[in-house]
Amino acid sequence: MAIEVELKFPLLPGAPTVEQVTDRLQTIGARPMPSRHQNDHYYAHPDRDFARTDEALRIREDEDRVQLTYKGPLIDEVAKTRCELETGIDSAEIAAEILESLGFRPVRVVAKQRRPFELSWQGVSVEAVIDRVEGLGDFVELETISDPDSHQAARDHLLALAAELGLERSERRSYLCLLLNAEIEST
């Protein structure tokens, strides 16, 4: 089973800027990939509260790809570390119809412009992305894949990379959670 280990950092005042992070990534050998737009359609389970169980189910529209993803409960107190199951699908609309026919209900769409970078840092493959999330602003995500027995070492590796990039104060909440909280606070 593959374990996704992820750290996310909001680029708030006092944090490095998008340009500074981009420069630092390229200085340490990160290779920029084409920017892309993603729409993540999140769903609520008919009988379980995913907010309580730290799970997620989404359909991601990513340029010319569509994926169905289940994210299991978080297993780490620092990073967003969890089992992630993902498969390509042909149609977001048909997948949505199937989920809704089974009792899942749409929660919200998270739209973002994503600038990915490929990086091998100290021998570990890392995906670094700079996200501009509609309604939230700019974030940097650092992600790697681990096996269940070494996820803490992978987390520590990402924390060291974050320090190298000048990133502090990681955010464990998902973009969905942050957007839902912002909507509640604005009412």
Side-chain angles (χ1 to χ4, degrees), residues 25-26 29-33 116-119:
L25 281 167
Q26 291 177 330
R31 193 179 77 174
M33 304 303 291
F117 295 81
E118 286 183 352
L119 174 64

Side-chain angles (χ1 to χ4, degrees), residues 132-153:
R132 175 155 291 156
V133 182
E134 289 180 23
L136 290 178
D138 295 326
F139 291 79
V140 175
E141 286 190 8
L142 305 173
E143 179 182 312
T144 192
I145 303 300
S146 165
D147 61 58
D149 295 329
S150 60
H151 71 85
Q152 291 173 331

Side-chain angles (χ1 to χ4, degrees), residues 14-70:
T17 65
V18 168
E19 294 77 19
Q20 289 169 326
V21 172
T22 300
D23 289 345
R24 289 175 183 170
L25 281 167
Q26 291 177 330
T27 297
I28 62 172
R31 193 179 77 174
M33 304 303 291
S35 184
R36 58 192 195 258
H37 183 79
Q38 294 179 337
N39 285 322
D40 292 341
H41 303 261
Y42 284 90
Y43 287 83
H45 191 281
D47 297 320
R48 274 198 325 248
D49 182 355
F50 282 168
R52 278 203 169 119
T53 61
D54 282 328
E55 295 172 282
L57 180 65
R58 75 167 181 229
I59 298 170
R60 172 173 281 172
E61 295 177 286
D62 183 352
E63 302 291 331
D64 59 347
R65 295 183 328 194
V66 182
Q67 295 172 299
L68 178 66
T69 305
Y70 165 75

